[in-house]
Amino acid sequence: MNENLFASFIAPTILGLPAAVLIILFPPLLIPTSKYLINNRLITTQQWLIKLTSKQMMTMHNTKGRTWSLMLVSLIIFIATTNLLGLLPHSFTPTTQLSMNLAMAIPLWAGAVIMGFRSKIKNALAHFLPQGTPTPLVPMLVIIETISLLIQPMALAVRLTANITAGHLLMHLIGSATLAMSTINLPSTLIIFTILILLTILEIAVALIQAYVFTLLVSLYLHDNT
């Protein structure tokens, strides 16, 4: 088979114009809302999940950190819905693009760090030099801690990109193998197809877990700076 494995990761276009913006704006339209006093089961379940997630992430924060609760909940919902929609056939997953993940990670990380330097500059600077450090190691440790701070948004973006991309590639390879084996050996095809179903279930879990991990790490960065 001469099919390009990375063809599904190319940003789609409509009449030569990039359609990534429309795809990014589409997931929020799927979030149901209610104008009635009594909600149905779907809205009730959705609100319960949002409250549970928000409570778990905001428990460790002080009053200033909890002002980010709406942003963090919106972030986890956006990433989760985008990842899940990307599992549909012939769909495009924006979170497989490192540029988009960096565009989410860098502003949130920078906002948390700037808030830390504005409100608790002594504690923020103390992170660059652990207590009890021998004098000869001070310059080296300051450089190491500075690099570890600056690499945090890159680690956030690369982690999300790598996990989502790897899962999509593995599903593509196993799906192609299932199609190729269907005309050769039926028992082997059934075994591979079973593996594909199990992998799809795993990818659904990974899509939700990666959304939670991304948001939780942003929440931890915020906690360290408030």
Side-chain angles (χ1 to χ4, degrees):
M1 299 180 65
N2 297 322
E3 185 178 356
N4 185 3
L5 289 177
F6 296 93
S8 59
F9 302 113
I10 300 175
T13 57
I14 299 176
L15 299 177
L17 300 175
V21 176
L22 296 177
I23 296 173
I24 292 172
L25 294 176
F26 180 67
L29 300 178
L30 301 178
I31 306 300
T33 56
S34 177
K35 299 179 181 179
Y36 302 101
L37 182 62
I38 300 177
N39 298 324
N40 56 27
R41 291 184 179 90
L42 180 60
I43 300 294
T44 303
T45 305
Q46 173 188 305
Q47 292 178 348
W48 175 76
L49 289 174
I50 291 175
K51 289 180 181 178
L52 180 65
T53 305
S54 178
K55 181 179 179 181
Q56 187 162 357
M57 287 192 299
M58 294 291 111
T59 302
M60 59 183 174
H61 289 284
N62 55 20
T63 304
K64 183 178 292 186
R66 290 176 182 175
T67 58
W68 284 48
S69 58
L70 180 60
M71 183 184 299
L72 294 179
V73 170
S74 302
L75 179 67
I76 190 173
I77 292 174
F78 172 74
I79 298 177
T81 52
T82 303
N83 291 346
L84 291 175
L85 287 175
L87 295 175
L88 297 175
H90 305 289
S91 60
F92 172 71
T93 312
T95 47
T96 58
Q97 306 295 311
L98 183 61
S99 57
M100 175 180 166
N101 295 336
L102 283 172
M104 291 191 295
I106 291 177
L108 294 171
W109 167 84
V113 172
I114 292 172
M115 180 181 293
F117 276 101
R118 289 185 61 185
S119 60
K120 297 181 178 180
I121 187 169
K122 291 184 178 180
N123 292 338
L125 293 176
H127 289 297
F128 293 96
L129 188 63
Q131 188 175 4
T133 304
T135 304
L137 297 178
V138 168
M140 183 182 298
L141 281 179
V142 170
I143 294 174
I144 292 174
E145 291 297 327
T146 303
I147 294 174
S148 67
L149 177 66
L150 296 176
I151 208 172
Q152 285 177 351
M154 178 63 73
L156 269 178
V158 170
R159 181 186 294 107
L160 180 58
T161 304
N163 281 281
I164 301 301
T165 303
H168 282 56
L169 285 175
L170 191 56
M171 289 179 62
H172 181 84
L173 289 172
I174 295 180
S176 300
T178 304
L179 186 61
M181 291 293 293
S182 62
T183 57
I184 301 174
N185 192 331
L186 184 58
S188 299
T189 303
L190 294 177
I191 294 174
I192 299 176
F193 184 69
T194 303
I195 296 175
L196 180 61
I197 293 175
L198 295 176
L199 180 62
T200 303
I201 297 173
L202 176 63
E203 282 304 309
I204 293 174
V206 168
L208 298 175
I209 291 172
Q210 287 304 314
Y212 178 75
V213 169
F214 188 97
T215 311
L216 181 62
L217 289 175
V218 172
S219 178
L220 290 176
Y221 297 155
L222 176 64
H223 175 68
D224 292 338
N225 291 280
T226 54

